[in-house]
Amino acid sequence: MIRLKLALELDYEVFDPGCDFIFNIHAAHTDRQRVVGEELTLSQKVPSTLETDPATRNRYLRLSALPGPLRVAYSATVDLTHHFAQPDQIAEVPVAQLPAQALSYIYPSRYCQSDRLLKLAMREFGRQWHGYARVQGIRDWVLRRTTFLQNTSNATTSAIDTLIDTVGVCRDFAHLMIALCRAINIPARFTTGIDYGADPALGPTDFHAYVEAYLGDRWYMFDPSGTAIPMGFVRLGTGRDAADVAFATIFGPVSSQAPRITIEAIPGADGRLVMPYHCAEALSTD
Amino acid sequence: MIRLKLALELDYEVFDPGCDFIFNIHAAHTDRQRVVGEELTLSQKVPSTLETDPATRNRYLRLSALPGPLRVAYSATVDLTHHFAQPDQIAEVPVAQLPAQALSYIYPSRYCQSDRLLKLAMREFGRQWHGYARVQGIRDWVLRRTTFLQNTSNATTSAIDTLIDTVGVCRDFAHLMIALCRAINIPARFTTGIDYGADPALGPTDFHAYVEAYLGDRWYMFDPSGTAIPMGFVRLGTGRDAADVAFATIFGPVSSQAPRITIEAIPGADGRLVMPYHCAEALSTD
Amino acid sequence: MIRLKLALELDYEVFDPGCDFIFNIHAAHTDRQRVVGEELTLSQKVPSTLETDPATRNRYLRLSALPGPLRVAYSATVDLTHHFAQPDQIAEVPVAQLPAQALSYIYPSRYCQSDRLLKLAMREFGRQWHGYARVQGIRDWVLRRTTFLQNTSNATTSAIDTLIDTVGVCRDFAHLMIALCRAINIPARFTTGIDYGADPALGPTDFHAYVEAYLGDRWYMFDPSGTAIPMGFVRLGTGRDAADVAFATIFGPVSSQAPRITIEAIPGADGRLVMPYHCAEALSTD
Amino acid sequence: MIRLKLALELDYEVFDPGCDFIFNIHAAHTDRQRVVGEELTLSQKVPSTLETDPATRNRYLRLSALPGPLRVAYSATVDLTHHFAQPDQIAEVPVAQLPAQALSYIYPSRYCQSDRLLKLAMREFGRQWHGYARVQGIRDWVLRRTTFLQNTSNATTSAIDTLIDTVGVCRDFAHLMIALCRAINIPARFTTGIDYGADPALGPTDFHAYVEAYLGDRWYMFDPSGTAIPMGFVRLGTGRDAADVAFATIFGPVSSQAPRITIEAIPGADGRLVMPYHCAEALSTD
């Protein structure tokens, strides 16, 4: 068990006539990710609602902010009890046996146009041994031929753009990996969290996007941009792609500052401090 | 109440080594669409499963076909009890008040890249009176500047393609209308059915795609291609766009023939025959 | 006759191991644009060549710069003797009668994908009276539905992007207008100059891109972004689109500053000062 | 010296009100491609003009056809005196030393969006030894990752589409190879001819598209689709990409049949029959 303490602050200047927000910044509750404590503070005294989407377990905070400054501060203590598995023991699931809730993750989505990549994916990965290793092979392929570079992509950049441009940030690596998985009928989804363990040279701690692929009997985590330590990932949202799980969706005129985020491993209920590390096993918190 | 009888036959030649299918050809059960009888016949004696997605109520038939011919025949008798409303009484819903289950339908999807159309939609529709009429205005705009023409689009054609090409089939009209609605934060989804009432000059009775937009307190139907009579629409599937609700998703080598479909209004339980007609009221079966 | 004096300075910092440049900053010589004096100064003592492309009359300056600062300063005095014509006297030219040198300007190019816009252009402009007024109609259509906004486009933005995004700068307006002209078989080309007469609120004097369309027996000027005064345009380069006539094409590592440009009308050889003005006549300097 | 005899017949049905055509079906005259005899027959008695573009040496036949059938028959006897060179003796030309007439072939064009492929090309080919072998490497890369398949592309398919789709016909292979060459500043152009030596299994003798790259002091031929024998290529047209050198550009309502084409090596003036063959040397007819 790993206990992580995360804290994030988002600052906005809301302009006239105010602005609606949908935030997805709360840690998800799953069987293996337990939120043992959390706190939300809003600088404006406006009503807010917090709902959990039953299908994804994403937790959405909604509020209508007034003109003026808005600060949203969230902190949480989260216990992760990872499922560990040996990669060579994890098989792919034939389409006919996929659980219904995984099915929609084999279809193309806004930023993961898998329907355009069927032949390319078959050519590159069609003859590889089926199983976890094939997905890991896709992850490595994406990482190898894409350069991590800030400010090379934007909100409309898709998997196909990244394939052509060969640069991007974590979001873009994730989209390309997802599109390639789906192109060979492996369910893959876009998951958001914090970039635990990322090299400070890449900038301050930030939101992160990674991939979960459905293999064997569950969703396993992959970090195609290779910038962080998956064992330290606290899941915030999961969806088809970035269209579903922006940390903030904003409906009105605002200016915003860079988020300020911290995350660290702390001693668990038993007083032991366990640090996330790069491991060879397959990992799942779902 | 309108009672419709529909029947459809799908014929495939499955090649070695067989093929998995996911069909979405069953009429959905909703509060206002009641399936009073239905029958499914498969020409192959293979196991099949029928599941209902709780979020969309789509009913998915899955099976693994053996090499050789496969015929799937489905027929149903469906009672529609439409919700009728006066267009000028139906308001748009502010984002802050949208129900959670409608929220995901304001995000862009594979074939409805609303994120690319924010400025265009605002320019064309931003100053129009908000409400049902604005959505009807989008529907009319799409219909006016798009020509219905077979064989001008394919499985990768998106809303942006249709905007540029100004031609397409029902699927393309629906994608463009959906993308424009979402671009101004109106939830819109892609719905499939049968093209009841379509001009025989367009070809034999076929599957149809249309749009549902969330307005007031429910999903209202729109037929952007203008080819059919919405009051005769039996809903099969609904989703983000065509990626979610293909009538058949096929994982393996097959050849297929054109579907053979019939649909007609028949007398209801009370012996009265009510025929669908073009009406000025807003319609919902959700 | 209008005499213009223009001066421009380009500053670069060239990094190791040096850098090749191709500049297209010299005023073109045409029958109606006479360069009465010009001067080029390079801050580095490196050889340079100046060539004139016989097909376009573009003048290309080439040099290989050494690491370190590079300043390129060019000034010229140019006499324009415009051809004026009444718009209603100017006909379109049937394809069969187009001169060979105009033909290539009806084909699609990198940023002007006219082949994608045939139906849209026919729908919007197909039934309009053929002649100068139709081209002016295209120019007005582009201007009306596109907003001039800095930093909304980049070097890969094409006519189709601009059609969808409905924003751009002079280059983007020109590309969209050209693509629409070609889509209805009117030769149109991309021309560069200085934005004489532009509102200082749009920023300092800058390079400009506008359109020339072949009508009657010559190339007429159009300013689809509507930001400048065409009668004050000194032609630097002309080509298929921006791919052909960048003011600087750079092959190596450099950083650059914004160009510093001035242009003003000055008294001509006869001592008279004639100022460019917005006029209703069609204008050509070709 | 190789003597080739080619004959082609194009059949159209022209509808009311007639149709303008621009054909580029005449063999080009170059220093190493000599047309020793040719004949053109038109089934309609309409005036036609034949012009040679001075920049490309393309020969354009223009005519305005009347409603009714139109047959265009062209035959020619052509002597090719190839320039042969050893691949390892052929260097790339630094941009600063490229002749002016080759320069425009390093810029992106409609179907060869080299500006999108700079990083990908640098990643794949940037560290390879510069020279003919690098261009041959690009040609091999394109051939290896693209499958020749009829009816997988259309008139709007571009190099980027082919990169993603990994299928296409000769035109598509050529576009992708050209885009990659230009992305690393090697001038490359699209050339049309007849697919001499193609496997009859691919269909009847047809028009062909291949690539010429400027290396050393001339344009060398490459056949990225690998379907034909370059030594048997008679050059018809050359240009930026397929937009420039369609064998027929048609401005009006027609239906057309597949062209009927023959080409064969015949004895030369000295009575000797020399057959084109696959050779290891670099070849040029420019």
Side-chain angles (χ1 to χ4, degrees):
Chain A
M1 204 226 45
I2 288 173
R3 175 164 289 183
L4 292 158
K5 172 131 188 71
L6 70 90
L8 57 89
E9 285 182 359
L10 306 174
D11 279 288
Y12 299 93
E13 183 68 31
V14 177
F15 303 115
D16 217 44
C19 177
D20 290 348
F21 287 86
I22 304 173
F23 293 102
N24 178 201
I25 53 174
H26 284 70
H29 296 282
T30 76
D31 289 353
R32 297 180 168 277
Q33 177 172 300
R34 202 162 61 88
V35 181
V36 294
E38 65 182 352
E39 186 175 17
L40 176 76
T41 317
L42 302 176
S43 67
Q44 291 194 4
K45 292 195 192 312
V46 291
S48 67
T49 62
L50 183 62
E51 291 171 293
T52 300
D53 179 59
T56 58
R57 307 199 192 176
N58 294 348
R59 298 167 70 199
Y60 293 108
L61 171 71
R62 289 206 277 175
L63 57 90
S64 294
L66 306 172
L70 171 71
R71 168 170 295 182
V72 178
Y74 172 75
S75 63
T77 302
V78 178
D79 281 356
L80 300 177
T81 310
H82 291 92
H83 171 79
F84 287 84
Q86 291 306 317
D88 58 5
Q89 302 293 312
I90 305 170
E92 294 180 19
V93 185
V95 167
Q97 288 152 39
L98 280 175
Q101 61 269 34
L103 258 187
S104 70
Y105 296 98
I106 59 170
Y107 298 131
S109 61
R110 170 65 182 94
Y111 302 112
C112 304
Q113 309 102 320
S114 48
D115 55 310
R116 289 293 308 274
L117 299 177
L118 303 185
K119 290 195 183 70
L120 186 148
M122 189 55 67
R123 173 185 296 271
E124 295 283 345
F125 309 110
R127 277 165 301 195
Q128 292 187 18
W129 194 261
H130 289 201
Y132 183 95
R134 184 155 78 142
V135 178
Q136 184 69 25
I138 293 174
R139 179 265 185 199
D140 293 346
W141 188 92
V142 169
L143 179 53
R144 195 167 56 239
R145 66 189 310 289
T146 314
T147 303
F148 192 98
L149 209 54
Q150 301 285 358
N151 301 317
T152 52
S153 61
N154 59 41
T156 66
T157 302
S158 72
I160 283 182
D161 292 318
T162 303
L163 183 65
I164 293 164
D165 297 339
T166 73
V167 287
V169 295
C170 57
R171 166 191 188 280
D172 307 304
F173 285 77
H175 284 158
L176 180 51
M177 179 178 169
I178 291 168
L180 291 167
C181 288
R182 292 180 188 166
I184 51 173
N185 295 324
I186 298 173
R189 65 189 191 187
F190 185 91
T191 309
T192 56
I194 310 296
D195 62 353
Y196 181 91
D199 185 341
L202 293 174
T205 300
D206 202 354
F207 289 108
H208 192 52
Y210 55 99
V211 174
E212 292 181 302
Y214 196 88
L215 293 165
D217 58 354
R218 70 188 68 218
W219 293 96
Y220 285 97
M221 298 190 289
F222 295 85
D223 186 33
S225 67
T227 49
I229 301 178
M231 204 186 289
F233 289 172
V234 172
R235 175 172 134 198
L236 304 180
T238 193
R240 301 281 190 90
D241 61 26
D244 285 1
V245 285
F247 72 86
T249 314
I250 300 174
F251 304 89
V254 303
S255 68
S256 58
Q257 295 177 22
R260 285 185 308 287
I261 304 179
T262 60
I263 186 165
E264 57 175 335
I266 59 172
D270 58 1
R272 284 184 54 220
L273 171 62
V274 185
M275 301 287 291
Y277 58 94
H278 282 290
C279 70
E281 290 93 345
L283 287 179
S284 173
T285 57
D286 192 56
Chain B
M1 209 231 32
I2 288 173
R3 174 165 288 185
L4 292 158
K5 171 130 188 74
L6 69 92
L8 56 90
E9 284 182 359
L10 307 174
D11 279 289
Y12 300 93
E13 183 68 29
V14 177
F15 303 114
D16 216 47
C19 178
D20 290 347
F21 287 87
I22 303 174
F23 292 103
N24 177 202
I25 53 175
H26 284 71
H29 296 282
T30 75
D31 289 353
R32 297 181 167 277
Q33 176 172 299
R34 204 161 60 87
V35 182
V36 295
E38 64 181 352
E39 187 175 18
L40 176 76
T41 317
L42 303 175
S43 67
Q44 293 194 2
K45 290 194 193 314
V46 291
S48 68
T49 62
L50 184 62
E51 292 171 294
T52 300
D53 178 59
T56 58
R57 305 194 192 181
N58 294 349
R59 299 167 71 200
Y60 293 109
L61 172 71
R62 290 205 277 173
L63 58 89
S64 294
L66 306 172
L70 170 70
R71 170 170 294 184
V72 178
Y74 172 76
S75 62
T77 302
V78 178
D79 281 356
L80 299 177
T81 312
H82 291 92
H83 171 80
F84 286 84
Q86 292 306 317
D88 59 4
Q89 303 295 310
I90 304 170
E92 293 180 21
V93 185
V95 168
Q97 288 153 38
L98 282 174
Q101 61 270 33
L103 258 188
S104 70
Y105 296 98
I106 58 171
Y107 298 131
S109 61
R110 170 63 183 97
Y111 302 111
C112 304
Q113 309 102 319
S114 47
D115 54 310
R116 288 293 309 274
L117 299 177
L118 303 185
K119 290 195 182 69
L120 187 148
M122 189 55 66
R123 175 184 295 271
E124 294 284 343
F125 309 110
R127 277 165 301 197
Q128 291 187 16
W129 195 262
H130 290 202
Y132 182 97
R134 185 155 79 142
V135 178
Q136 185 68 27
I138 293 173
R139 180 265 184 196
D140 293 346
W141 189 92
V142 169
L143 179 52
R144 194 167 56 240
R145 66 190 309 291
T146 314
T147 302
F148 192 98
L149 209 55
Q150 301 285 359
N151 301 319
T152 52
S153 60
N154 60 40
T156 67
T157 303
S158 72
I160 283 182
D161 292 318
T162 303
L163 184 66
I164 293 164
D165 297 339
T166 74
V167 288
V169 297
C170 58
R171 168 192 187 282
D172 306 305
F173 285 77
H175 283 157
L176 180 51
M177 179 179 169
I178 291 168
L180 291 167
C181 288
R182 292 180 188 167
I184 50 172
N185 296 322
I186 298 172
R189 65 190 192 186
F190 186 92
T191 309
T192 57
I194 308 297
D195 62 353
Y196 181 92
D199 185 342
L202 293 174
T205 300
D206 201 353
F207 290 109
H208 192 52
Y210 56 98
V211 174
E212 291 180 303
Y214 195 89
L215 293 165
D217 58 354
R218 70 189 69 220
W219 292 97
Y220 286 96
M221 297 190 290
F222 295 85
D223 187 33
S225 67
T227 49
I229 300 177
M231 204 185 290
F233 289 172
V234 172
R235 175 172 133 197
L236 303 181
T238 192
R240 301 279 191 92
D241 61 26
D244 286 359
V245 286
F247 71 85
T249 312
I250 300 173
F251 305 88
V254 305
S255 68
S256 58
Q257 294 178 24
R260 286 185 308 287
I261 303 179
T262 59
I263 186 166
E264 59 174 334
I266 60 172
D270 57 2
R272 285 183 53 219
L273 171 63
V274 186
M275 300 288 288
Y277 58 94
H278 282 290
C279 71
E281 290 92 346
L283 286 179
S284 174
T285 58
D286 193 54
Chain C
M1 208 232 31
I2 288 174
R3 175 165 289 184
L4 292 158
K5 172 134 188 70
L6 70 91
L8 57 88
E9 284 182 359
L10 306 174
D11 279 290
Y12 299 93
E13 183 68 30
V14 177
F15 302 116
D16 218 45
C19 177
D20 290 348
F21 287 87
I22 303 174
F23 293 102
N24 178 202
I25 54 174
H26 284 71
H29 297 281
T30 75
D31 289 353
R32 295 180 169 276
Q33 176 173 302
R34 203 163 60 89
V35 181
V36 294
E38 66 182 350
E39 187 175 16
L40 175 77
T41 317
L42 303 176
S43 67
Q44 292 194 2
K45 292 196 190 316
V46 291
S48 68
T49 62
L50 182 62
E51 291 171 293
T52 299
D53 178 59
T56 58
R57 306 197 192 179
N58 294 349
R59 298 166 71 200
Y60 294 108
L61 171 70
R62 289 206 277 174
L63 57 91
S64 293
L66 306 172
L70 171 69
R71 170 170 294 182
V72 178
Y74 172 76
S75 63
T77 301
V78 177
D79 282 355
L80 299 177
T81 310
H82 291 92
H83 172 80
F84 287 83
Q86 291 306 317
D88 59 5
Q89 303 295 312
I90 304 170
E92 293 179 21
V93 185
V95 168
Q97 288 152 39
L98 281 175
Q101 61 269 33
L103 258 188
S104 70
Y105 296 98
I106 59 171
Y107 298 131
S109 61
R110 170 64 183 95
Y111 302 111
C112 304
Q113 309 102 319
S114 47
D115 54 310
R116 290 292 308 274
L117 300 177
L118 302 185
K119 289 194 182 70
L120 187 148
M122 189 55 67
R123 175 184 296 271
E124 295 285 343
F125 310 110
R127 276 165 302 197
Q128 292 186 18
W129 194 262
H130 289 201
Y132 182 96
R134 185 155 78 141
V135 178
Q136 184 68 26
I138 294 174
R139 179 265 184 197
D140 293 347
W141 189 93
V142 169
L143 180 54
R144 194 167 57 239
R145 67 190 309 289
T146 314
T147 303
F148 192 97
L149 208 55
Q150 300 286 357
N151 301 318
T152 52
S153 61
N154 59 41
T156 67
T157 303
S158 72
I160 283 182
D161 293 318
T162 303
L163 183 66
I164 293 163
D165 297 339
T166 74
V167 288
V169 295
C170 57
R171 168 192 187 280
D172 306 304
F173 284 77
H175 284 157
L176 179 51
M177 179 178 170
I178 290 168
L180 291 167
C181 288
R182 292 181 188 165
I184 51 173
N185 296 323
I186 297 173
R189 65 188 191 187
F190 185 91
T191 309
T192 56
I194 309 296
D195 62 353
Y196 181 93
D199 185 342
L202 293 174
T205 300
D206 202 353
F207 289 108
H208 192 52
Y210 55 99
V211 175
E212 292 181 302
Y214 195 89
L215 293 164
D217 58 353
R218 70 188 71 217
W219 293 96
Y220 286 97
M221 297 191 288
F222 295 85
D223 187 33
S225 66
T227 50
I229 301 177
M231 203 187 291
F233 289 172
V234 172
R235 175 172 134 198
L236 303 180
T238 193
R240 300 281 190 92
D241 60 26
D244 286 359
V245 285
F247 72 85
T249 314
I250 300 175
F251 304 89
V254 302
S255 68
S256 58
Q257 295 178 23
R260 286 185 308 287
I261 304 179
T262 60
I263 186 166
E264 58 175 333
I266 59 172
D270 58 0
R272 284 184 56 219
L273 171 63
V274 184
M275 301 287 290
Y277 58 94
H278 282 291
C279 70
E281 289 93 345
L283 286 179
S284 174
T285 57
D286 193 56
Chain D
M1 208 229 35
I2 288 172
R3 176 166 288 184
L4 293 158
K5 170 130 188 77
L6 70 91
L8 56 90
E9 284 183 359
L10 306 174
D11 278 288
Y12 300 93
E13 183 68 30
V14 178
F15 303 115
D16 218 47
C19 178
D20 291 348
F21 287 86
I22 304 174
F23 293 103
N24 177 202
I25 53 175
H26 284 70
H29 296 282
T30 75
D31 289 352
R32 297 180 167 277
Q33 176 172 298
R34 203 162 61 88
V35 181
V36 295
E38 65 181 352
E39 187 175 17
L40 176 76
T41 317
L42 302 176
S43 68
Q44 291 195 4
K45 291 194 191 316
V46 291
S48 68
T49 62
L50 182 62
E51 291 171 295
T52 300
D53 178 58
T56 57
R57 306 197 192 177
N58 294 347
R59 298 167 70 198
Y60 293 109
L61 172 71
R62 291 206 277 174
L63 57 90
S64 294
L66 305 173
L70 171 70
R71 169 171 293 183
V72 178
Y74 172 76
S75 63
T77 302
V78 178
D79 282 355
L80 299 177
T81 311
H82 291 92
H83 172 80
F84 287 85
Q86 291 308 317
D88 58 5
Q89 302 295 312
I90 305 171
E92 294 180 18
V93 185
V95 168
Q97 288 153 36
L98 282 174
Q101 61 270 33
L103 258 187
S104 70
Y105 295 98
I106 58 170
Y107 298 131
S109 61
R110 171 63 183 96
Y111 302 111
C112 304
Q113 309 104 319
S114 47
D115 55 311
R116 289 293 309 273
L117 300 177
L118 303 186
K119 289 195 183 70
L120 187 148
M122 188 56 66
R123 176 183 296 270
E124 295 284 343
F125 310 110
R127 277 165 301 197
Q128 292 187 17
W129 194 262
H130 291 202
Y132 182 95
R134 184 154 81 143
V135 178
Q136 184 68 26
I138 294 173
R139 180 264 184 197
D140 293 346
W141 189 92
V142 169
L143 180 52
R144 193 167 58 240
R145 66 189 309 290
T146 314
T147 303
F148 192 98
L149 208 55
Q150 301 285 358
N151 301 318
T152 53
S153 61
N154 60 40
T156 68
T157 303
S158 71
I160 283 183
D161 293 319
T162 303
L163 183 66
I164 293 163
D165 297 338
T166 73
V167 288
V169 296
C170 57
R171 168 193 187 280
D172 306 305
F173 285 77
H175 283 158
L176 180 50
M177 179 178 170
I178 290 168
L180 291 167
C181 288
R182 292 181 188 166
I184 50 172
N185 296 322
I186 297 172
R189 63 189 194 187
F190 186 91
T191 309
T192 57
I194 309 297
D195 62 354
Y196 181 92
D199 184 343
L202 293 174
T205 299
D206 201 354
F207 289 108
H208 191 52
Y210 55 99
V211 174
E212 291 180 304
Y214 195 88
L215 293 165
D217 58 354
R218 70 189 70 218
W219 293 96
Y220 286 96
M221 297 191 289
F222 295 85
D223 186 34
S225 67
T227 49
I229 300 177
M231 205 186 290
F233 289 172
V234 172
R235 175 171 133 197
L236 304 180
T238 192
R240 301 280 191 93
D241 62 26
D244 285 359
V245 286
F247 72 85
T249 313
I250 301 173
F251 305 87
V254 303
S255 68
S256 58
Q257 295 177 24
R260 286 184 308 286
I261 304 179
T262 59
I263 186 167
E264 57 175 335
I266 60 172
D270 58 1
R272 286 183 53 219
L273 172 62
V274 185
M275 301 287 289
Y277 59 93
H278 282 291
C279 71
E281 290 92 346
L283 286 179
S284 174
T285 57
D286 194 54

